[in-house]
Amino acid sequence: MINSINLPKKVLLIINALEKHGFECYVVGGCVRDSLLGIVPKDWDICTSAKPKQIIKALSQFTVIPTGIKYGTVTAIIDNQSFEITTYRKESNYINNRKPKDIAFVNSLKQDLKRRDFTINSMAYHPNTKIIDYFGGIGDLKKGIVRCVGDPYERFEEDALRILRAVRFCSVFGFKPDDNTKKAMLEKKLLLNNISNERISSEFCKALLGKYISTSLNEFSNIIAIIIPELAPIINSDYKIYENINIWESILFSIYNSKPVLLVRLCLLFKYIGIPNCLNISSKQNYLQISSDIAEKIATRLQISKQDIKTLKKIIQYQNEDLPFEIEQICFKLNELGSKVYSLLLQTRQASSIVLNEKDKKIATNQIEKSQELLTYIINNNICYCIEQLNINGKDLINLGYKQGPIIKSILKKILKEVINGNLQNTHEQLLNYANKLKTNIN
């Protein structure tokens, strides 16, 4: 593991400017952790002995915004890139297991690092002193351990979101919590009920995209059931989906087999969630509709965008439909769903095929691959499957004498159907002539 970090020039400019004014300055937290893991950091956080007003004065050559001055944080803007700079501080008297009520600035880097969540996030770096690691973060990185700084019960009571953040680090990096941290996570999990949906969503969605998310979902299912209680009946159900695989096992295998696409993994997580509501119903054909309705409520709570929720519902609802294998059939399906939804549908179907027996898996995979091949052909060759692709529009119809209103869309739909079926070429002249004939018949 490396112990030297190549800091960006803009970060060095900030460090040098603060040091010229007599202050200590280090990069800290996640950027140090990621750099040691060989990951290029997305953000560079900086801590300093300077107070907020002193930071602003020392960085007068840059644009500096007092984004969180109450907490000792300002943001420097250099060439449209943002860098958070925070004064050494300690925190106490946390409100609702999340935000500190009392902030006190301190002069010690060690005191500042001591308030942080995990050892792997409590390291600092300076080009001269290299890594500063008071709490064994390097050793925990090497061992793949998530361990709280100090007493884990205190850390989670201060900020319960740290419980879910630990799950994220396990999902993304494949780490494991040490015994004390895991015990505290499970015992303090109900504190997550005090955390805002926005913060829960941010951590959970990041975790859901992790390479090791299936392992984390299984290991921390009791924690997941707190933030998404609708999953509890699924997690604890013995109901078999395929042969000897129950619902929860099927979900975990499918997610393991999926690409890190948020809507795909949300669909795989929620597509069976309606089954417990159907177990006492003679027909279970409607479980996907029930699942999509429950998924909508959960996704709304997680503050997923309205458009993505609409897409998620469609992907779930169409999970069991037969896939088309002709260009015309796929074009009609694309017109109904849109290319994005159809592509995501194929991805979820492919991921789910892992739980099938070898014979059924081979059949399903061949069908999905053929559909994907035809979809790619349709997109690459700009084959018409929606009204917007027609070489005629509502204005053209009005110029032909059609009245504005529902008739316009109705005629365009008829024209599109003929184009998809191959009875018309998608040329302006042919479509115009056909629309004129329809007008004559209507009149």
Side-chain angles (χ1 to χ4, degrees):
M1 185 176 292
I2 63 174
N3 62 1
S4 182
I5 298 173
N6 185 23
L7 298 181
K9 290 182 179 180
K10 295 170 188 176
V11 172
L12 291 173
L13 285 174
I14 293 172
I15 292 175
N16 291 336
L18 286 163
E19 288 184 337
K20 282 181 181 179
H21 285 75
F23 303 112
E24 295 179 6
C25 190
Y26 300 87
V27 293
V28 67
C31 62
V32 178
R33 177 200 69 226
D34 286 351
S35 296
L36 294 179
L37 290 172
I39 301 169
V40 177
K42 295 181 180 179
D43 301 298
W44 293 89
D45 292 330
I46 299 166
C47 67
T48 178
S49 59
K51 305 300 188 292
K53 290 183 179 180
Q54 293 171 325
I55 298 172
I56 293 171
K57 183 178 179 180
L59 302 180
S60 59
Q61 70 268 44
F62 308 121
T63 299
V64 182
I65 303 170
T67 45
I69 203 161
K70 175 183 176 183
Y71 299 97
T73 300
V74 300
T75 301
I77 312 294
I78 305 177
D79 295 334
N80 296 318
Q81 187 173 357
S82 299
F83 300 91
E84 279 197 353
I85 308 161
T86 303
T87 303
Y88 298 161
R89 71 181 192 228
K90 64 179 181 179
E91 304 168 346
S92 58
N93 298 324
Y94 287 73
I95 302 171
N96 294 328
N97 308 109
R98 179 71 184 110
K99 291 184 177 181
K101 180 180 179 182
D102 298 318
I103 300 289
F105 298 140
V106 296
N107 296 318
S108 165
L109 172 64
K110 185 173 183 179
Q111 274 189 286
D112 182 83
L113 296 176
K114 187 177 180 180
R115 70 178 171 84
R116 297 172 185 269
D117 51 8
F118 308 111
T119 61
I120 60 175
N121 297 331
S122 299
M123 294 178 284
Y125 179 84
H126 187 280
N128 295 335
T129 59
K130 304 304 180 183
I131 301 295
I132 296 177
D133 179 20
Y134 294 115
F135 308 106
I138 291 177
D140 286 343
L141 271 185
K142 289 179 178 179
K143 296 174 184 176
I145 291 175
V146 177
R147 180 165 59 91
C148 286
V149 176
D151 185 344
Y153 289 88
E154 290 182 10
R155 296 292 84 77
F156 295 142
E157 286 174 358
E158 291 168 350
D159 183 355
L161 188 64
R162 289 168 172 168
I163 298 170
L164 199 53
R165 191 174 296 129
V167 174
R168 169 163 68 92
F169 291 139
C170 292
S171 170
V172 172
F173 300 124
F175 290 177
K176 297 288 184 182
D178 76 295
D179 291 342
N180 289 336
T181 298
K182 183 175 182 180
K183 184 179 179 182
M185 288 169 66
L186 295 173
E187 291 185 17
K188 294 294 182 180
K189 63 183 183 294
L190 291 177
L191 294 179
L192 285 167
N193 289 321
N194 297 332
I195 305 300
S196 70
N197 290 332
E198 179 183 6
R199 302 300 297 170
I200 291 288
S201 176
S202 177
E203 288 295 336
F204 180 68
C205 289
K206 290 175 185 176
L208 203 58
L209 296 177
K211 181 179 179 179
Y212 306 94
I213 182 57
S214 289
T215 300
S216 294
L217 285 173
N218 193 42
E219 183 173 2
F220 305 112
S221 59
N222 290 337
I223 292 172
I224 301 302
I226 297 300
I227 62 173
I228 307 178
E230 295 90 343
L231 279 173
I234 295 289
I235 294 170
N236 299 314
S237 175
D238 290 327
Y239 185 81
K240 299 294 189 293
I241 295 292
Y242 298 105
E243 298 178 357
N244 294 320
I245 300 177
N246 65 34
I247 298 177
W248 186 237
E249 289 170 336
S250 176
I251 290 172
L252 297 180
F253 280 124
S254 297
I255 291 177
Y256 172 81
N257 194 42
S258 70
K259 295 179 180 179
V261 178
L262 183 61
L263 288 178
V264 168
R265 291 191 170 173
L266 285 172
C267 172
L268 295 171
L269 187 61
F270 298 147
K271 73 172 187 174
Y272 294 130
I273 207 166
I275 285 184
N277 299 60
C278 303
L279 293 182
N280 295 323
I281 302 175
S282 57
S283 173
K284 301 183 181 63
Q285 292 179 352
N286 293 325
Y287 85 86
L288 287 174
Q289 180 59 53
I290 297 173
S291 292
S292 74
D293 291 340
I294 297 173
E296 180 180 17
K297 293 178 182 178
I298 299 170
T300 300
R301 194 168 68 238
L302 291 175
Q303 301 189 353
I304 305 297
S305 72
K306 290 183 179 179
Q307 183 58 50
D308 281 347
I309 291 175
K310 184 177 179 182
T311 298
L312 176 63
K313 290 193 68 177
K314 283 186 178 180
I315 302 170
I316 293 174
Q317 290 167 2
Y318 283 82
Q319 282 299 299
N320 291 343
E321 284 208 1
D322 293 334
L323 293 175
F325 301 113
E326 301 292 338
I327 287 181
E328 292 81 6
Q329 294 173 338
I330 293 180
C331 282
F332 280 117
K333 188 58 67 176
L334 290 175
N335 179 251
E336 180 182 358
L337 299 178
S339 59
K340 178 183 177 180
V341 174
Y342 191 72
S343 178
L344 292 171
L345 176 62
L346 293 180
Q347 289 183 52
T348 57
R349 296 282 285 270
Q350 181 65 61
S352 297
S353 67
I354 193 173
V355 300
L356 302 174
N357 60 48
E358 288 303 316
K359 179 181 177 182
D360 291 341
K361 185 192 300 184
K362 185 175 181 179
I363 293 172
T365 299
N366 288 338
Q367 291 176 341
I368 293 164
E369 287 178 351
K370 185 175 181 180
S371 289
Q372 182 61 59
E373 183 181 331
L374 290 174
L375 173 62
T376 301
Y377 178 83
I378 289 167
I379 300 300
N380 289 345
N381 290 277
N382 198 30
I383 294 176
C384 182
Y385 62 81
C386 65
I387 287 175
E388 289 74 18
Q389 292 176 296
L390 289 173
N391 282 315
I392 191 173
N393 56 37
K395 187 176 180 180
D396 294 321
L397 296 183
I398 291 171
N399 290 337
L400 283 176
Y402 284 94
K403 294 181 180 180
Q404 288 186 344
I407 187 64
I408 297 295
K409 189 171 184 179
S410 176
I411 294 300
L412 290 174
K413 283 184 176 180
K414 288 183 179 180
I415 294 172
L416 176 64
K417 183 177 181 181
E418 294 302 313
V419 171
I420 292 177
N421 282 328
N423 298 325
L424 284 175
Q425 291 185 6
N426 189 21
T427 64
H428 184 71
E429 183 180 359
Q430 276 206 25
L431 302 188
L432 207 61
N433 289 336
Y434 183 71
N436 201 30
K437 290 179 182 178
L438 289 177
K439 178 174 172 290
T440 302
N441 293 336
I442 290 173
N443 294 336

